[in-house]
Amino acid sequence: MLFSGTAFKLLRDNDILDLCFDSSDRPVNVFNREALSEFGKVLDVIEQQSDVAGLVLRSSKGVFIAGADITEFLGYFAAPDEVLATMLVDVNAMFNRFEELPFPTVAAINGEAQGGGFEICLACDFRVAAPTARMGLPEVKLGIMPGWGGSVRLPRLIGVDNAVEWMCSGASKRAEAALKDGAIDAVVHDGHVRQAAIGIVEQVRSGKLSTEERRAVKSSPLPLSELELTMAIESARGVVGAKAGPHYPAPMTIIDTVAAHATLGRDAALPLESAAFVRLAKTDVAESLVGIFLNDQALKRLARKQGSEALPVKRSAVLGAGIMGGGVAYQSASNGVPIIMKDIRDEALSAGLDEAGKLLKKQISRGKLKPEGMADVLNAIQPALSYGEFGSVDLVVEAVVENPGIKMAVLAEVEAQVGQDTIITTNTSTISVDLLSSALQRPQNFCGMHFFNPVHRMPLVEVIRAKSSSEKAIATTVAYAQAMRKTPIVVNDCPGFLVNRILFAYFGGFTRLVADGADFVAIDKALERFGWPMGPAYLLDVVGLDTGKHAAGVMAEGFPDRMGSDGKTIIDALYEAERLGQKNGKGFYRYETDSKGRAQKLPDPAVASVIGSVQSAPVDMPADDMVDRLMIPMCIEAARCLEDHIVDNAYEVDMGLVYGVGFPPFRGGALHHVDKMGLADFCARADQFADLGPLYHPTETMRDMAGSGGTYYTKSSAATGDSA
Ligand code: T1G
């Protein structure tokens, strides 16, 4: 052994050097400070070796290298520019030394090579990968860009168009796709990657492959005429600019940086990349998106803990084959848990299966599923009109109509059909799970399992703890949600649970704003500019005004002081006018189906008279006021959920909003948003709207925190995803 550290091991096998990334103290290999410093030391040893034919870079873990250590990012981003710039210069100097070794280097990629983990592969002369390996430059998803030479080497290797697509999408590419683009040199069987890498060294030795040619390509300016470069960059700007929108600066910065250094050699290009990286790292967007990554990891850790005592779910059942029930059946079956889908109507079962079929066909057309896989999934959904085989299921999701009486009757009925240990869950969005548990003989085996619509797309599942729920019931439901590739958040029972409770405070702000004369189209525009995927009126149309009215009623009953209303709201008025939203083609807007079968949103003059019935004279209002009149109630309700222990961590609140209702990720969540404003400024702004009622009154705890400079996240704990 020539070198043995906590991250790297270097062995010599005759004239081949074997450099293995083997983090002894981490679940995956990451370039943290220690690993980077060790890389410098191992390079010193490598450079001292003589009579070497080549070097193979490999990993001892299933994940090849996951890139830079993201848990260190917020510390770096908060440091002065020079600290971050120095880190980049130092790493680039090491990667350049590695690239200039006097013998060929080959990366043997056996698993995920992401970010800096792929950039070190790009610094190698050759790359071979297992068919199961994946690779990419996902930095854009963190609001930043490759910082260790990725934006310089990748375009020189695979061309501007491909490289921009890789970097601006942040996509993780399968080995075959990477080979097709020219990012790697070969795909070989799993288990043969190291041997194949040694084979490449042999080919260089025998003169079949040239290291010099490779190095020349990566270190020279791009071989494009001015016109070719302009065309490539402008078409990339057109495609990427439209997709990225105004809130995410990283994709356009990537393109601008490639354009700026395309005519330069490697050594002159790298400082441009570093400067752009530092600029992006200093943005609030990067801070929020890194926070989201860390929060997501923290949620996963929490869910692993909460699900550790789970009973196995080998087979499940869903009651109701409507939109939600059908979605649950599809999601379970397509993730390997066979499911019985029961309904009382044959037509409903057929519709549920048809819907699953449509989703599967989409997967096939996108190349994500093989045609034979479709039959497997459909066969794993067993339609049923009776309780026949319910005795053998481990977990039931009740997804019948949102009516307490009907749900209680169905729950009692199914309990009589299942085993003593079967867990029964209810997919309710508004009904108290404590109330529903009273229908059961074994309430300890019961809890809520609230999916969001459309089930296949929305990542969140709220697991709602009733007072009677056992830890086994919670754990099993959490684990089942994870098996379905959903992100579970365990919440305590209250009207609206976590996400709808906060969302309806926002809708409360909206209905009051409309009543006070603001134009709902202008409100939608203001909130969309703020970053919401759709404004509140459009969102209510998608949710359905009947559902909205029902839920608003539940919230008004639960929190009459702040969510009750004195008179008729715009939601009531639209409901009474039978404008139910997208489901019947008219709500705030009018909807027509386009040639692809998608609902097109159109203005509808007919809605004016309905609005007129609940609105005082129309008024113009600054967009910032409109945004705050919705966001302040939302943020205060988010704080209340934490104070009321609906969940215990700020990251659960914020991720619930991001995953459940599409809160703009670049703003990090409601509590992160308050932290960014500063609690004192937030309370001062809320006080400007104090006359509007309790929805705008910060809690005592918020005021105390404002006084003492408190925050929901602390800088150090944000790095672990934990709340202050
Ligand atoms: N930093 C820190 N921790 C990481 C990590 C990373 N990059 N990647 C994974 N982990 C932890 C994760 O938190 C979890 O920890 C454990 O590893 C297993 O992860 C300068 C700027 C690689 C596809 O964005 O996409 O390089 O919960 O459960 O399903 O240009 O992890 O067990 O305590 O997700 O097998 C770019 C992010 C950095 C990759 C593996 N890199 N990671 O998936 O395992 S930016 C990324 C992933 C960069 C340079 C720059 C995935 C994975 P714990 P896991 P997995």
Side-chain angles (χ1 to χ4, degrees), residues 3 156 230 241 296 300 317 368 409 447 477 506 528 544 551 555 637 645 722:
F3 182 96
R156 284 159 179 75
T230 308
D296 179 72
K300 282 192 186 132
K368 289 192 172 161
C447 65
T477 310
Y506 169 92
E528 283 162 17
M555 303 311 295
E637 203 60 39
H645 296 285
D722 288 335

Side-chain angles (χ1 to χ4, degrees), residues 26-28 30 63 66-71 73 88 112 114-117 119 138-139 142 144-148 277 293 297 300-301 304:
R26 298 290 300 244
V28 296
V30 287
V63 168
D69 185 347
I70 301 172
T71 61
F73 278 17
L88 298 172
E112 297 274 355
Q114 299 294 339
E119 288 174 297
E139 289 84 350
L142 301 168
I144 50 177
M145 61 178 284
W148 296 342
F277 184 99
F293 176 90
Q297 301 292 322
K300 282 192 186 132
R301 273 197 294 278
R304 273 205 294 274

Side-chain angles (χ1 to χ4, degrees), residues 147-340:
W148 296 342
S151 87
V152 175
R153 293 187 176 94
L154 193 62
R156 284 159 179 75
L157 205 61
I158 67 173
V160 171
D161 301 2
N162 281 335
V164 162
E165 192 274 315
W166 278 56
M167 292 189 284
C168 292
S169 70
S172 178
K173 304 279 182 179
R174 289 168 198 275
E176 276 301 335
L179 179 68
K180 198 164 142 251
D181 284 352
I184 60 173
D185 300 282
V187 179
V188 299
H189 291 305
D190 284 310
H192 291 80
V193 190
R194 180 161 174 260
Q195 219 36 54
I198 294 174
I200 288 197
V201 172
E202 294 305 333
Q203 290 190 50
V204 176
R205 199 199 300 261
S206 67
K208 283 195 196 132
L209 289 171
S210 157
T211 304
E212 287 70 31
E213 269 173 31
R214 291 306 185 105
R215 294 186 184 181
V217 168
K218 285 191 286 167
S219 59
S220 308
L222 274 153
L224 294 177
S225 70
E226 206 180 320
L227 180 67
E228 286 168 330
L229 181 62
T230 308
M231 282 177 54
I233 294 294
E234 287 315 316
S235 75
R237 280 204 179 107
V239 175
V240 172
K243 261 199 196 148
H247 298 297
Y248 294 90
M252 287 309 250
T253 303
I254 289 171
I255 298 176
D256 292 345
T257 308
V258 171
H261 67 48
T263 53
L264 306 176
R266 182 197 72 185
D267 293 346
L270 286 170
L272 300 190
E273 176 189 91
S274 300
F277 184 99
V278 172
R279 276 201 309 280
L280 287 173
K282 294 285 159 178
T283 57
D284 287 346
V285 176
E287 188 190 332
S288 298
L289 293 180
V290 169
I292 295 270
F293 176 90
L294 298 172
N295 286 347
D296 179 72
Q297 301 292 322
L299 270 188
K300 282 192 186 132
R301 273 197 294 278
L302 186 62
R304 273 205 294 274
K305 214 162 98 194
Q306 290 165 330
S308 61
E309 300 287 307
L311 300 168
V313 177
K314 296 201 189 92
R315 192 178 187 206
S316 60
V318 62
L319 297 173
I323 293 179
M324 298 308 283
V328 170
Y330 163 82
Q331 195 66 28
S332 185
S334 56
N335 286 294
V337 184
I339 187 163
I340 303 173

